[in-house]
Amino acid sequence: MTGRKTIIALGLVFMTGLQGLTGCGSPSSVSGEQTVAEQQETKELVYESSMELSYAENFSVDYYEGGYKVLTTMDGTKILTVPEDQEIPEGIEEDTIILQEPVSNLYLVSSGVMDMFDKIDAIDTLSFSSQKADGWYIEGAKKAMEEGSLVYAGKYSKPDYELLVSGNCSLAIENTMIQHTPKVIEMLSDFDIPTLIEYSSYENEPLGRMEWVKFFGALTGREEEAERIFGEQEQIVEKILQENQADKTGKEQQTVAFFYITSNGLAQVRKSTDYLAKMIEMAGGSYIFDNLTEESSSRSTVSMQLEDFYDGAKDADYLIYNSTIDGGVKSIDELIDKFPLLADFRAVQNGHVWCTTNDMYQQSMSIGYMIRDIHSMLIGANESQMQYLFSLK
């Protein structure tokens, strides 16, 4: 590549963008050079750079002269953000989502990324929520709903189309659940409301899930804030990994079971490839179900009979109960009421039973803190320093 700026035809960018969709954030495509006069006549974009990504593999962001950006997700969805007071380029593919800056009036359905918007101070770009005020643990979201700048616009499966249209909704940000209700996507499209599915949950690495904050930073013009908040969490994890490396003394890693007892009497656990299993490993532990893959299913969890859970987890050194679904438990006795055979578990007998706080699943920008909490649990650190775990007595 020469030192001259490469001229990229926007049509080719949109046809071949996914070829460059990697963790390195490569440019989408490159065409031959043209004169400045030809650029102006055809309104082609001039490529400048791509966002550098360290862990995420399911999105890319390309930057062009004049402040234009192209954001691409793993399913081929493309968003072109057009700087304020700039014209929309010609020759754009019909299915490209075009957003004029400053981006606003977003409908956030994927509750897992609200924390990202909050941490980069971008809640003001949201006008509609799929959660009511009492469903949020994110204080910024609660406050916005109480003040009326953010309003409830229905769940993912039943949005309030009339409200969204009257409020000039510019984009619906969904999670993968929307794929089960394609009719909703069709209806939104009929009302000229484009849909974006965020795939942070498809990232293999815990930090890759969190790196999606850079995607939303680019979408809302908060790249610097996104880089800063991501970097803070990354440093926490790097420090823990260094401590684990320095502490290798030949002793076996302590095993951890992360689970939840369902209302129909099953144990719901994470696959061994799930991000929570990887977080336990990064914290210095070993996930007890290390061979639980079940490749035939795309789900990150597996429901098993309690007898099978007993056989697999009774000798785990630590138990962590996932409270984000049923509100959790307050004591070991309350947990044993759900499954009496837990009394025989090694972790129960040794008093190594922990519970997550209810808000953990909404704290997508706190993965570093969560890994640190698990690490603290494993080394017997003071519980008062933990944010998302507490011990059951």
Side-chain angles (χ1 to χ4, degrees):
M1 174 92 46
T2 67
R4 293 172 296 175
K5 291 181 178 175
T6 304
I7 308 303
I8 298 185
L10 184 58
L12 290 177
V13 171
F14 293 154
M15 288 188 289
T16 61
L18 283 179
Q19 294 177 2
L21 187 56
T22 67
C24 297
S26 305
S28 300
S29 63
V30 180
S31 68
E33 292 183 318
Q34 296 179 326
T35 67
V36 173
E38 287 173 333
Q39 293 175 37
Q40 293 173 345
E41 182 179 349
T42 59
K43 297 188 183 299
E44 293 174 346
L45 296 181
V46 181
Y47 171 78
E48 287 190 330
S49 63
S50 294
M51 177 180 288
E52 293 186 4
L53 300 173
S54 301
Y55 309 94
E57 298 181 344
N58 294 316
F59 77 87
S60 66
V61 179
D62 294 332
Y63 296 95
Y64 300 87
E65 270 192 4
Y68 294 89
K69 307 172 198 174
V70 176
L71 294 78
T72 308
T73 62
M74 63 171 283
D75 64 8
T77 299
K78 297 182 186 298
I79 297 176
L80 170 68
T81 62
V82 179
E84 191 173 10
D85 300 326
Q86 295 276 8
E87 293 185 2
I88 298 173
E90 295 177 356
I92 300 173
E93 288 187 357
E94 187 177 351
D95 58 353
T96 300
I97 300 169
I98 301 173
L99 296 179
Q100 192 87 41
E101 295 179 343
V103 172
S104 61
N105 295 334
L106 302 174
Y107 172 33
L108 186 59
V109 183
S110 181
S111 59
V113 299
M114 176 61 87
D115 193 36
M116 297 183 182
F117 277 83
D118 184 46
K119 293 296 191 300
I120 62 174
D121 195 24
I123 288 183
D124 61 343
T125 65
L126 307 175
S127 294
F128 311 99
S129 164
S130 66
Q131 295 259 20
K132 296 181 180 179
D134 59 4
W136 287 116
Y137 293 101
I138 310 297
E139 288 303 319
K142 271 187 177 181
K143 182 179 178 182
M145 297 200 79
E146 290 169 356
E147 293 175 348
S149 61
L150 181 63
V151 298
Y152 177 66
K155 297 180 179 179
Y156 80 96
S157 58
K158 195 174 181 180
D160 187 334
Y161 300 106
E162 183 177 354
L163 176 62
L164 294 172
V165 171
S166 64
N168 297 317
C169 177
S170 62
L171 178 70
I173 302 173
E174 309 273 355
N175 59 28
T176 55
M177 289 293 292
I178 195 65
Q179 295 170 332
H180 300 297
T181 56
K183 184 64 176 176
V184 172
I185 297 178
E186 293 177 16
M187 288 289 291
L188 288 169
S189 179
D190 289 343
F191 287 115
D192 294 325
I193 300 173
T195 300
L196 167 77
I197 300 176
E198 62 89 10
Y199 290 95
S200 61
S201 63
Y202 277 46
E203 299 292 346
N204 291 322
E205 296 297 326
L207 288 173
R209 296 168 69 98
M210 193 167 58
E211 199 165 20
W212 271 76
V213 70
K214 297 181 182 179
F215 179 92
F216 295 110
L219 179 68
T220 60
R222 271 83 166 182
E223 282 96 336
E224 289 186 8
E225 294 89 335
E227 287 283 352
R228 177 183 58 78
I229 193 67
F230 176 80
E232 290 174 358
Q233 293 294 305
E234 184 182 32
Q235 287 178 8
I236 291 172
V237 175
E238 288 177 349
K239 182 179 178 181
I240 292 170
L241 293 176
Q242 290 171 3
E243 290 178 4
N244 292 339
Q245 187 68 26
D247 192 41
K248 283 188 175 179
T249 58
K251 61 183 180 182
E252 291 187 7
Q253 289 179 311
Q254 298 178 92
T255 53
V256 181
F258 187 95
F259 72 106
Y260 158 70
I261 304 297
T262 69
S263 59
N264 56 352
L266 297 174
Q268 188 181 86
V269 300
R270 301 285 178 145
K271 290 182 180 178
S272 52
T273 53
D274 181 62
Y275 82 106
L276 265 164
K278 292 189 176 184
M279 286 170 61
I280 290 170
E281 294 171 4
M282 294 168 79
S286 175
Y287 183 56
I288 193 70
F289 295 104
D290 57 352
N291 292 312
L292 193 62
T293 56
E294 197 181 80
E295 296 294 343
S296 61
S297 171
S298 61
R299 291 175 59 87
S300 62
T301 58
V302 175
S303 294
M304 59 175 57
Q305 297 293 328
L306 292 179
E307 293 80 2
D308 295 329
F309 177 70
Y310 177 89
D311 291 338
K314 69 181 187 307
D315 292 326
D317 295 303
Y318 289 85
L319 297 179
I320 300 178
Y321 187 74
N322 181 9
S323 71
T324 59
I325 299 176
D326 67 352
V329 292
K330 296 180 174 59
S331 67
I332 292 179
D333 287 341
E334 190 176 341
L335 183 57
I336 291 175
D337 285 342
K338 291 178 176 287
F339 179 33
L341 286 179
L342 281 171
D344 297 335
F345 279 48
R346 174 190 294 174
V348 173
Q349 294 176 355
N350 291 337
H352 292 165
V353 185
W354 295 73
C355 187
T356 67
T357 56
N358 296 344
D359 63 339
M360 189 188 77
Y361 82 100
Q362 288 187 7
Q363 306 294 335
S364 56
M365 286 310 299
S366 297
I367 284 178
Y369 295 140
M370 295 175 193
I371 293 174
R372 187 171 65 187
D373 281 359
I374 298 172
H375 178 70
S376 297
M377 175 192 76
L378 293 172
I379 65 174
N382 193 323
E383 180 182 344
S384 64
Q385 304 300 315
M386 302 183 192
Q387 293 178 258
Y388 300 105
L389 287 179
F390 62 93
S391 62
L392 297 178
K393 308 298 183 184

